[in-house]
Amino acid sequence: MRILLTGSSGWLGRFLAPRLRAAGHRVTGLDVAPGAHTDMIGTVADRALIDLVFAERGIEAVIHGGALHKPDIVRYPNQAFVDVNLSGTLNLLEAAVAAGASRFVFTSTTSLMISTAIREGRGDAAVWIDETLASLEPRNIYGVTKLAAEQVCRLIHAEHGLPIMILRTSRFFPEDDDTHLILSGENMKANELLHRRLTVEDAAEAHLVALERAPEIGFGTFIISAPTPFVPGDVAALKIDAPGVIARYFPDAAALYARRGWHLPQSIDRVYDAGLAERVLGFRCKTDFTALLAAMRDGAELPVAHVADYISPKERSASVAN
Ligand SMILES: NC(=O)c1ccc[n+]([C@@H]2O[C@H](COP(=O)([O-])OP(=O)(O)OC[C@H]3O[C@@H](n4cnc5c(N)ncnc54)[C@H](O)[C@@H]3O)[C@@H](O)[C@H]2O)c1
């Protein structure tokens, strides 16, 4: 298929573009920043450019991963989020409909399900989060514009029948968390695989599966995250004694962690349940906490990429230009 991939210079894009090409697709990468997999430099907010890309490249399908995301909140005004994440998505959807494209995959985020109350861990139990969670009150402009873009996807599907898969991916960024700096980056990422992270390779693979299944499914919104070992009945215990719950599922986790001087989470405030993606989309992440512990046990390379100082390529090209 001739695919337009937005965000092709980014962290996801650099894994997804080669994976798509290896699967036999012809990929046009569009990004505001240059990159090895980017053929066109420009913004999704520019409708004329989008129309030109569709016409010149005969685009048949779209994977829309380009966005301003959470780390950009401190760098860009709210209006830029509306322009890129909302208007940009609308531009691509309308161009896809006009071109008679067969499918559209939108990279969304679990972040849009996180209200301030969930973020602050106010309840006395962890929050079990699946696609039925309501009402959604995203706590920042990133989540608000991603949720609005999801709604535009829903509307365009309803009005025009364009098959659209929305992937609410959890964390796969390689850099240190900008809000939790207590644990080392690798320790933090390992902990998150229990309930709120996936590898970037799995994120890329989910997009391939969504691309494949879109016409058959029609429309769907899926949490994409490593399968959690926990069950809804664990939520109270996870909040007050996460190491106790983890020990039930992984008796040697504490010892394996201790060897590295790592720490298990003391309390877990949310769990993403990716079961719907498994049941309906037919996608399950390959790497989970079990795989991570197996690597630790074997002394193998850990299956979670950690690049402490990763910054989005558009910021790198901006600093070169300045
Ligand atoms: N990284 C994560 O943990 C995470 C978690 C959930 C969802 N996501 C989503 O995954 C997608 C990819 O994120 P990433 O981690 O690869 O981030 P990234 O910043 O590395 O990549 C995003 C890319 O989008 C490009 N971009 C920004 N504005 C654009 C515009 N106006 N037009 C075209 N391209 C533009 C950037 O230059 C960048 O290359 C995003 O939609 C993000 O919201 C990421």
Side-chain angles (χ1 to χ4, degrees):
M1 254 179 295
R2 288 188 293 272
I3 298 172
L4 172 60
L5 171 66
T6 70
S8 47
S9 300
W11 180 243
L12 175 65
R14 72 183 65 176
F15 288 85
L16 183 48
R19 183 68 191 81
L20 287 165
R21 290 193 174 117
H25 298 296
R26 283 165 65 185
V27 181
T28 297
L30 172 72
D31 201 298
V32 285
H37 306 290
T38 294
D39 311 277
M40 293 198 157
I41 307 281
T43 172
V44 293
D46 180 348
R47 177 62 199 262
L49 173 74
I50 298 301
D51 287 343
L52 184 77
V53 175
F54 269 80
E56 276 189 356
R57 302 285 176 132
I59 298 300
E60 298 166 305
V62 178
I63 299 183
H64 179 29
L68 291 183
H69 66 129
K70 166 133 185 303
D72 293 314
I73 294 174
V74 294
R75 305 192 273 249
Y76 293 86
N78 288 348
Q79 185 64 53
F81 278 81
V82 173
D83 294 345
V84 175
N85 293 358
L86 183 52
S87 301
T89 304
L90 177 63
N91 285 341
L92 290 160
L93 287 163
E94 288 186 340
V97 169
S102 65
R103 62 205 79 189
F104 192 105
V105 179
F106 176 53
T107 317
S108 190
T109 172
T110 48
S111 175
L112 62 78
M113 297 183 290
I114 306 305
S115 62
T116 301
I118 297 176
R119 173 78 177 76
E120 293 178 354
R122 286 187 200 156
D124 52 12
V127 183
W128 190 266
I129 298 179
D130 64 18
E131 295 80 356
T132 63
L133 186 82
S135 60
L136 299 181
E137 295 176 359
R139 69 189 189 284
N140 56 34
I141 189 68
Y142 171 53
V144 165
T145 50
K146 283 284 192 178
L147 180 57
E150 283 194 359
Q151 288 295 319
V152 176
C153 287
R154 183 188 55 74
L155 185 69
I156 294 289
H157 170 73
E159 288 180 347
H160 301 281
L162 174 66
I164 303 177
M165 300 285 97
I166 295 173
L167 304 184
R168 285 184 185 165
T169 65
S170 67
R171 301 179 146 196
F172 56 83
F173 59 77
E175 69 268 30
D176 280 324
D177 188 334
D178 57 356
T179 48
H180 295 95
L181 294 169
I182 303 155
L183 300 179
S184 77
E186 277 190 314
N187 186 167
M188 188 80 187
K189 290 182 171 69
N191 290 359
E192 289 171 350
L193 269 184
L194 283 162
H195 64 118
R196 59 175 302 194
R197 177 172 278 276
L198 75 167
T199 66
V200 65
E201 291 87 352
D202 278 330
E205 202 57 34
H207 285 73
L208 268 101
V209 174
L211 190 74
E212 184 69 32
R213 299 287 317 283
E216 188 188 331
I217 297 173
F219 183 83
T221 302
F222 303 102
I223 291 175
I224 304 293
S225 195
T228 182
F230 306 128
V231 296
D234 291 330
V235 291
L238 281 171
K239 193 67 193 286
I240 53 170
D241 178 24
V245 182
I246 294 165
R248 275 201 276 119
Y249 292 102
F250 306 103
D252 66 343
L256 289 167
Y257 262 54
R259 266 197 240 158
R260 287 179 182 254
W262 281 9
H263 300 278
L264 288 166
Q266 290 306 301
S267 172
I268 285 179
D269 61 1
R270 74 185 77 158
V271 178
Y272 295 135
D273 176 353
L276 187 71
E278 198 168 333
R279 294 189 298 276
V280 176
L281 192 58
F283 174 78
R284 179 184 169 96
C285 290
K286 281 203 189 82
T287 301
D288 59 8
F289 193 72
T290 302
L292 177 99
L293 289 187
M296 288 172 83
R297 234 175 259 125
D298 298 346
E301 193 183 336
L302 298 183
V304 184
H306 178 62
V307 186
D309 56 355
Y310 175 84
I311 55 165
S312 185
K314 67 187 185 319
E315 304 312 313
R316 273 203 308 278
S317 43
S319 54
V320 169
N322 288 338

